[in-house]
């Protein structure tokens, strides 16, 4: 008599089937290592995206999605548009959905850089380049997990590199024309993600002038430039309508002044670039550079391969050198140069492929293994430290508890909403605050955290009250949410790690300031931070730009 379905007699057969299926999956992944790489790193990114809160910049870019525009105070609009798409028109606003554009882009970029590597030499170079891409802190974490303008831009940047490489390697005139036009398309989209995209044209045109002058005769090159200009034109028109605020803001950050040499800024930027790129990769790039100087190519001895190397250097070094130069005179951020490193990854991958030989004492292999080991160390230790460190790393006393602890930027914010919601309901029920009382912010940070974690989920109006250079996008959000009416009340939340006394911030703008409560954030059972909740009573005039 046959055993019924699900009886113990079926278990060995089911177990054998599962084992066979697992073996088949493993065999397929071994045959397709690039697919395996994408699956492994995408899974890791999804896990980490769920484990930690959005950072300062990420919650700020959420405001781009709330109020789409042709351009924004700081950056072009594509990052906000993609957030809106991946959150299903802001219906799914959990961290993982807000970060999904960067996670999906990192997977696409792995295929793109592998395609570039295959194009310049072979599939092994493509695979090594993909490993380098996924083990760089900048490309794998800052732009691969977190949602930044760079997260979106890198896809178009790599697509542009691919089209440039195809255009200089193609022998069919129609292929050359097509990829020249595609280059303009991708650079235009990269620029609409972040204005640094224009560096690609500087690099490509510089390469053409010095290495491929024949392309200057092609009308398709100039049409390509026009395509980029048309795609990026909303940035110009928006700035014309807004007193060129984007240009003025960024020029104050990068225009070299007369204040002398800033050694601290230079060191901070240089060390930051090394750490973001992954120190093991920096060593690879240095050794690759030495080989390039000595032999003229790290790909092979052919002129065509030397030309590919020249193109990649033209599209990599200018943005890296420019960021480093500006850091001598102005405070800069190390990730500004980040898009320049994928080109170096491709050259580094070609160097590793060319100079790797069998045996355990192979330097390229060791450096590649070190790069992989370091990123997995960061993947493991980072989330544990952020989620499990007892209390705060900051020694600052009350009321500035947690000040300087960077882990608090991405930890514990979920504790604020339920506590504030209860406090607010109590005040509304007792008649001491109106339900329509808005939340007031004075600066984009930490205002964007309060907006994303509290005001937006509760449907509260959020009004920016302060200077434009502090409010940034919140000055435009006032068009959506209106003002604090004269004679009305408002809420204000000040986190202890970025404490500001509202009586000083809004002096002369409200009749009085009352502390409504203190909310405590705990991490691993210890106090990490406080949120001080204030009632701003009786606005003396209408407030909000």
């Amino acid at each position: 008599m046959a055993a019924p379905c699900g009886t113990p007699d079926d278990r060995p057969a089911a177990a054998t089937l599962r084992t066979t299926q697992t073996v088949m999956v493993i065999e397929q992944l071994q045959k397709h290592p690039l697919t395996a790489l994408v699956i492994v790193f995408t899974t890791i990114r999804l896990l980490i995206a769920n484990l930690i809160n959005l950072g300062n910049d990420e919650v700020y870019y959420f405001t781009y999605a709330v109020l789409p525009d042709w351009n924004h105070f700081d950056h072009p609009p594509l990052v906000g548009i993609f957030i809106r798409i991946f959150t299903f028109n802001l219906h799914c606003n959990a961290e993982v959905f807000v970060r999904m554009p960067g996670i999906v882009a990192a997977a696409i970029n792995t295929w793109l850089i592998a395609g570039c590597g295959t194009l310049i030499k072979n599939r092994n170079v493509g695979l090594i380049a993909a490993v380098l891409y996924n083990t760089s802190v900048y490309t794998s974490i800052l732009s691969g997990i977190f949602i930044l303008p760079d997260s979106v831009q890198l896809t178009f940047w790599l697509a542009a590199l691919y089209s440039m490489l195809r255009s200089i390697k193609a022998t069919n005139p129609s292929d050359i024309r097509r990829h020249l036009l595609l280059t303009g398309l991708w650079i235009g989209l990269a620029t609409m993600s972040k204005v640094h995209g224009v560096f690609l044209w500087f690099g490509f045109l510089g390469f053409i002038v010095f290495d491929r002058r024949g392309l200057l005769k092609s009308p398709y090159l100039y049409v390509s430039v026009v395509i980029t200009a048309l795609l990026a034109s909303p940035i110009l028109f928006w700035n014309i309508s807004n007193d060129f605020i984007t240009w003025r803001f960024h020029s104050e950050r990068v225009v070299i002044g007369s204040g002398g040499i800033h050694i601290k800024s230079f060191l901070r930027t240089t060390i930051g670039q090394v750490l973001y790129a992954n120190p093991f990769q920096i060593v690879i790039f240095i050794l690759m550079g030495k080989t390039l100087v000595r032999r003229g190519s790290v790909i092979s001895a052919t002129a065509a391969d030397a030309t590919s190397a020249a193109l990649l250097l033209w599209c990599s070094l200018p943005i890296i050198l420019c960021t480093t130069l500006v850091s001598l005179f102005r405070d800069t951020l190390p990730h500004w140069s980040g898009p320049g490193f994928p080109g170096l990854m491709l050259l580094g991958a070609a160097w590793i492929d060319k100079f790797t030989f069998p045996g355990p004492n192979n330097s390229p292999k060791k450096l590649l293994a070190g790069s992989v080991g370091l990123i997995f160390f960061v993947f493991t230790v980072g989330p544990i430290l952020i989620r499990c460190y007892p209390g705060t790393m900051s020694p600052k006393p009350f009321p500035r508890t947690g000040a300087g602890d960077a882990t608090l930027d991405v930890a514990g914010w979920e504790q604020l909403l339920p506590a504030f919601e209860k406090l607010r309901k109590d005040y509304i029920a007792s008649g001491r605050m109106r339900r329509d009382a808005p939340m007031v912010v004075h600066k984009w940070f930490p205002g964007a955290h309060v907006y994303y974690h509290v005001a937006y989920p509760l449907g509260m109006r959020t009004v920016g009250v302060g200077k434009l250079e502090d409010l940034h996008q919140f000055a435009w959000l006032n068009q959506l949410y209106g003002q604090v009416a004269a004679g009305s009340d408002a809420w204000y939340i000040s986190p202890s790690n970025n404490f500001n006394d509202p009586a000083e911030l809004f002096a002369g703008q409200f009749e009085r300031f009352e502390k409504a409560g203190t909310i405590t954030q705990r991490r691993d059972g210890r106090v990490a931070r406080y949120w001080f909740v204030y009632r701003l009573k009786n606005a003396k005039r209408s407030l909000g730009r």
Side-chain angles (χ1 to χ4, degrees):
M1 182 177 177
C5 182
T7 63
D9 292 341
D10 289 332
R11 292 175 186 169
T16 301
L17 178 60
R18 286 194 296 270
T19 302
T20 302
Q21 291 172 335
T22 302
V23 170
M24 291 175 63
V25 170
I26 292 173
E27 288 177 349
Q28 286 298 312
L29 291 177
Q30 288 174 339
K31 291 178 182 177
H32 304 283
L34 188 60
T35 301
L37 188 72
V38 170
I39 291 172
V40 168
F41 278 92
T42 300
T43 302
I44 292 170
R45 291 187 183 104
L46 287 169
L47 289 171
I48 295 176
N50 274 291
L51 286 173
I52 61 176
N53 294 154
L54 299 181
N56 300 337
D57 291 337
E58 294 179 285
V59 286
Y60 177 67
Y61 296 129
F62 178 77
T63 66
Y64 285 21
V66 173
L67 189 66
D69 206 342
W70 291 108
N71 188 61
H72 298 285
F73 178 89
D74 325 72
H75 293 294
L78 282 190
V79 63
I81 291 171
F82 278 100
I83 290 173
R84 195 164 187 116
I85 292 170
F86 280 89
T87 56
F88 303 99
N89 202 28
L90 302 179
H91 286 97
C92 300
N93 297 323
E95 280 89 347
V96 69
F97 288 101
V98 176
R99 286 174 168 151
M100 196 62 71
I103 295 170
V104 172
I108 295 171
N109 296 349
T110 301
W111 292 100
L112 280 172
I113 198 168
C116 290
T118 302
L119 193 59
I120 65 174
K121 188 172 183 184
N122 56 42
R123 291 182 65 184
N124 193 51
V125 170
L127 181 60
I128 295 170
V131 172
L132 291 174
Y133 186 91
N134 282 278
T135 57
S136 158
V137 174
Y138 169 73
T139 52
S140 192
I141 297 177
L142 293 184
S143 300
I145 296 176
F146 302 149
I147 181 64
L148 305 172
D150 309 59
S151 311
V152 177
Q153 183 189 55
L154 278 174
T155 299
F156 302 123
W157 188 287
L158 283 165
L161 284 183
Y162 182 80
S163 290
M164 289 179 200
L165 288 167
R166 288 291 301 270
S167 70
I168 67 170
K169 283 182 167 289
T171 55
N172 187 323
S174 65
D175 288 340
I176 295 172
R177 292 194 292 266
R178 181 171 69 255
H179 285 289
L180 281 176
L181 295 177
L182 284 173
T183 296
L185 172 67
W186 302 133
I187 296 178
L189 292 172
T191 305
M192 283 299 284
S193 304
K194 196 173 183 179
V195 292
H196 297 59
V198 298
F199 273 95
L200 283 167
W201 269 124
F202 296 149
F204 194 32
L205 292 175
F207 163 78
I208 289 172
V209 168
F210 286 93
D211 290 271
R212 191 61 64 90
R213 289 191 180 91
L215 286 176
L216 292 172
K217 300 176 182 178
S218 172
Y220 288 87
L221 175 66
Y222 305 100
V223 173
S224 184
V225 173
V226 171
I227 290 172
T228 297
L230 289 174
L231 284 171
S233 63
I235 300 173
L236 174 62
F237 293 128
W238 185 92
N239 272 279
I240 291 173
S241 300
N242 289 274
D243 196 27
F244 287 92
I245 187 62
T246 302
W247 309 122
R248 290 192 288 115
F249 169 66
H250 285 298
S251 66
E252 290 173 1
R253 304 173 80 187
V254 301
V255 172
I256 295 174
S258 57
I261 302 297
H262 293 189
I263 297 299
K264 287 185 179 179
S265 172
F266 172 75
L267 291 175
R268 184 170 58 248
T269 298
T270 303
I271 294 171
Q273 289 179 106
V274 171
L275 294 178
Y276 284 176
N278 188 319
F280 289 98
Q281 292 196 30
I282 293 296
V283 176
I284 291 172
F285 301 153
I286 292 172
L287 294 176
M288 174 272 295
K290 290 175 63 177
T291 303
L292 192 62
V293 169
R294 290 176 183 173
R295 305 191 182 194
S297 177
V298 293
I299 304 173
S300 70
T302 69
D305 293 324
T307 301
S308 296
L311 172 62
L312 292 173
L313 288 173
W314 270 105
C315 292
S316 298
L317 295 182
I319 190 171
I320 296 172
L321 294 176
C322 183
T323 302
T324 307
L325 174 65
V326 172
S327 74
L328 283 167
F329 305 95
R330 293 278 191 178
D331 286 336
T332 57
L333 297 175
H335 74 278
W336 289 358
S337 63
F341 284 93
L344 298 184
M345 292 175 194
L346 286 163
L347 292 173
W351 175 79
I352 291 171
D353 178 72
K354 186 173 183 178
F355 293 100
T356 295
F357 51 82
N361 297 319
N362 187 268
S363 294
K365 276 186 177 179
K366 286 184 176 180
L367 291 169
L368 189 60
S371 184
V372 173
L374 180 58
I375 203 68
F376 275 98
F377 175 80
V378 176
F379 279 152
T380 304
V381 174
I384 292 174
L385 190 67
I386 289 166
R387 288 185 63 87
C388 302
Y389 186 88
T392 176
M393 302 178 191
S394 170
K396 297 288 186 179
F398 185 91
R400 303 189 181 277
T401 306
D405 184 348
T407 65
L408 293 179
D409 295 340
V410 290
W413 285 97
E414 71 280 354
Q415 298 177 34
L416 175 59
L417 175 58
F420 175 77
E421 185 175 20
K422 181 180 183 303
L423 180 69
R424 178 172 175 258
K425 284 181 177 178
D426 290 343
Y427 271 89
I428 292 172
S430 65
R432 290 177 289 174
M433 289 291 283
R434 292 172 54 92
R435 184 175 297 277
D436 61 356
M439 181 72 70
V440 165
V441 299
H442 78 284
K443 194 172 184 178
W444 72 270
F445 167 73
H449 273 294
V450 174
Y451 178 69
Y452 172 81
H453 291 285
V454 177
Y456 190 83
L458 294 178
M460 297 177 64
R461 292 191 306 117
T462 303
V463 180
V465 178
K467 300 176 181 178
L468 178 59
E469 56 266 31
D470 290 334
L471 292 174
H472 292 205
Q473 174 73 355
F474 282 97
W476 279 263
L477 276 179
N478 286 348
Q479 299 173 13
L480 177 65
Y481 292 120
Q483 298 179 316
V484 179
S488 65
D489 304 334
W491 296 95
Y492 177 77
I493 298 176
S494 180
S496 61
N497 63 318
N498 196 63
F499 178 72
N500 287 280
D501 186 344
E504 297 177 3
L505 285 175
F506 308 113
Q509 296 177 322
F510 290 89
E511 188 175 287
R512 63 183 187 277
F513 306 89
E514 299 176 0
K515 183 181 285 188
T518 300
I519 298 170
T520 304
Q521 175 193 339
R522 297 183 184 276
R523 183 165 55 180
D524 198 32
R526 297 187 182 181
V527 173
R529 165 173 52 191
Y530 299 99
W531 289 287
F532 305 113
V533 182
Y534 295 91
R535 293 190 299 156
L536 314 183
K537 301 292 292 180
N538 194 15
K540 295 183 177 181
R541 62 181 184 276
S542 294
L543 301 172
R545 295 180 62 90

